[in-house]
Amino acid sequence: MESNAIANLSNLLDDNFSKSVELIYKSKGRVIITGIGKSAIIANKIVATLNSTGTPAVFMHAADAIHGDLGLILEDDVVVCISKSGNTPEIKVLVPLIKNGPNKMIAITGNTESFLGQNADFVLNTFVEKEACPNNLAPTTSTTAQLVMGDALAVCLLELRGFSSKDFAKYHPGGALGKKLYLRVSDISSVNQKPVVTKDTKIKDVIIEISEKMLGVTAVVENNKVIGIITDGDLRRMLSKTENFSNLTAKDIMGSNPKCIDNHAMAVDAMELMETNDISQLLVEENGEYAGIVHLHDLIKEGIL
């Protein structure tokens, strides 16, 4: 029932929607979103979505608004009022108070003929035939429709503003999502040790270097350029094939053409490169020179995986 109601929303759209988007987009103020009951909870979510996608928004509870919170509304703000019926007592008191000011008002309502619908500057129709509740009482289908309409507004505004993933990262710096958007390889590799040997380094010293730096790998460099890599696996394979390795050097067991990544690359790209090549370490380069190591465990620790 909810699915069908959502599918029907597109049939209810008219130029009120595009005019509402344009009004908010051109506004120099914020979006004040108000409602009561379950609609107030939906209003809070729409506020959060707008704020995170570049449109400043503030929640104002309809009941609190008529008891002092009207002071939240500034001259350039756009008010969005959400109500299924559009005729609740609080809405009937609040709407005239808003209309007395200079602010434009957008209604999100399932009843365009309601008090709210008739007094708003623009009306977004979220009519639903019936609630999913078997008693047709608990707000279910209606609040879902309100939420979808709010998402539609947010996405249109996001596209108009050219809001990119980099912008998104600014508003979501915390958690795994934020890290995927802003964490770079250099942020991780810079805190790791930097194992390094030359092609002429004796195997004994190679083993010591890998053990001391505790990353299970070392880069083989020449003039600070990467020419190879030696991993724990390379050492194990050498030991299984060679009884006397005292005369061996790094160049005898190193893998050539190792997988490298630029230190400015995103950490999530490093993860993808490791998964694609089924490896657990990448050599990091800066301006073509060896700069360190990024390990799979670093990415897991940061919550990238």
Side-chain angles (χ1 to χ4, degrees), residues 183-203:
L183 194 69
R184 298 190 180 275
V185 169
S186 58
D187 297 325
I188 298 173
S189 62
S190 61
V191 298
N192 282 338
Q193 297 195 71
K194 188 179 172 182
V196 59
V197 297
T198 69
K199 63 181 180 179
D200 298 319
T201 302
K202 296 290 186 180
I203 292 299

